[in-house]
Amino acid sequence: LQPADTVSDWGGISPVGSTVSMASNPENEDGDMHKKKNSTSEPNPNKQERNDEKVGTSVDDLVLGGTYLTNDMKIELQNKLGLILHALSARHKDVGYCQGMDYVVAHLLRILQDTILVNAQRAALPAMVLSCQRNISKKSNSDPIGSLTGINDRSVVVEETVFHVMNTFMTTYSLEHFYWPELRCLKTCCRVFDRLIQMKLPVLADHFEHHELNVGLFVLGWFQTLFLYLPSMPSATVCHLWDIWLVERSFKIFFRVAIAILFLSQPILLNHDLEGMMTYLNTFPDATLLNPDILIPCALQIKVTNKMLANIEMEVTQSS
């Protein structure tokens, strides 16, 4: 084991004194891409699964949601999802598989699949996508519609491309910190967020304290799935805040969005007890406030800086 350094710019989150296993040899990073998964499990962002043999997904509307998806489409996406999750757990042996990854990978599949197939047909995918070079015939250009279906059926180009995207999220953008053993970094995020509520929304913070509401009960799922755990969260909002995260290379947008959600929900939350608040925060019956034209501008008006997050991180880790 080696100590994890604190990331001062919050491009990744690693609490002082935490430890992570040293990275394993990734020579088999794509080894599981062609294997089928044999088990399923209900998604639960509060639970971490350490056994690669138990990598599982669900075809319910939380992970593979969308009213436009037929059952056949969901099953197809589920199979792709299983292959990608197995490959990721093989590539990141120090992390393995953690609940929450399935939400992120499933969303990537849904929004990228068509674009990947079109680019595969045009031979415009990066050279690292080896299956594109091996399995896609140049003759497919003569029949655009049929060729896309053929590419999807006879190759793993979609799975391999999404794998590389998620692997980049995990490494370059430090998303693997959210899935470290015992969820140490994620728990630190919850404590940092609790402190932010006290700073930005003191009245609501007092209300939470009065009713003994632990913010980790709801925000841990938000962070671990990058806000996909909220069934009412529009895909457009998720994509917008992800764009900001990727451009800034900082997790601070997630804190700003979470604070914005509580700010917009404050009038309702202040009129509920513990049970009512938890029901509301897990369902958002009125999803209007989650609209990207409302939530994102509100979040960007909330001042949260990298230095502020680093100082709060030091404060909460030293006080523990």
Side-chain angles (χ1 to χ4, degrees), residues 82-306:
L83 296 178
I84 297 167
L85 291 174
H86 273 295
L88 286 168
S89 62
R91 172 63 179 84
H92 299 273
K93 294 181 183 294
D94 52 325
V95 174
Y97 169 74
C98 178
Q99 295 285 356
M101 291 180 180
D102 49 351
Y103 282 76
V104 179
V105 174
H107 186 67
L108 289 173
L109 272 172
R110 289 173 54 193
I111 64 175
L112 294 180
Q113 179 168 258
D114 290 345
T115 301
I116 292 170
L117 291 174
V118 170
N119 281 309
Q121 183 190 33
R122 298 172 178 172
L125 289 175
M128 68 174 62
V129 184
L130 301 180
S131 59
C132 181
Q133 310 300 325
R134 291 195 302 262
N135 299 315
I136 298 176
S137 170
K138 293 182 180 180
K139 295 181 181 179
S140 63
N141 291 327
S142 62
D143 183 8
I145 298 178
S147 65
L148 293 182
T149 302
I151 292 170
N152 193 31
D153 290 342
R154 69 173 179 264
S155 75
V156 291
V157 63
V158 172
E159 294 93 319
E160 186 179 356
T161 305
V162 172
F163 164 81
H164 284 300
V165 173
M166 185 63 178
N167 186 55
T168 300
F169 281 7
M170 298 275 283
T171 54
T172 304
Y173 294 93
S174 304
L175 186 60
E176 65 181 347
H177 294 162
F178 275 5
Y179 308 119
W180 275 350
E182 300 179 12
L183 304 180
R184 298 185 189 97
C185 298
L186 202 58
K187 292 173 182 176
T188 297
C189 286
C190 293
R191 295 169 64 193
V192 170
F193 182 65
D194 189 31
R195 184 73 182 91
L196 278 175
I197 297 174
Q198 296 173 23
M199 297 169 58
K200 302 294 184 180
L201 304 169
V203 175
L204 186 60
D206 290 342
H207 187 65
F208 283 174
E209 183 177 2
H210 175 73
H211 291 281
E212 299 181 348
L213 189 154
N214 183 341
V215 299
L217 293 175
F218 62 89
V219 82
L220 188 143
W222 295 2
F223 286 162
Q224 194 173 19
T225 64
L226 307 186
F227 291 92
L228 290 166
Y229 192 60
L230 292 174
S232 301
M233 180 67 78
S235 177
T237 303
V238 172
C239 292
H240 196 157
L241 71 92
W242 284 19
D243 285 344
I244 296 172
W245 164 48
L246 297 177
V247 170
E248 294 183 341
R249 294 200 176 194
S250 171
F251 289 144
K252 68 181 180 181
I253 184 59
F254 300 136
F255 290 93
R256 298 171 86 175
V257 168
I259 290 290
I261 291 174
L262 294 184
F263 172 76
L264 294 171
S265 305
Q266 188 170 220
I268 297 175
L269 294 173
L270 291 175
N271 287 294
H272 281 294
D273 58 9
L274 176 61
E275 182 178 356
M277 287 189 290
M278 286 306 303
T279 299
Y280 179 83
L281 291 169
N282 283 314
T283 60
F284 286 95
D286 179 10
T288 304
L289 65 88
L290 301 179
N291 186 291
D293 295 330
I294 296 175
L295 182 58
I296 299 301
C298 179
L300 296 179
Q301 290 295 316
I302 298 171
K303 184 178 181 180
V304 175
T305 65
N306 293 324

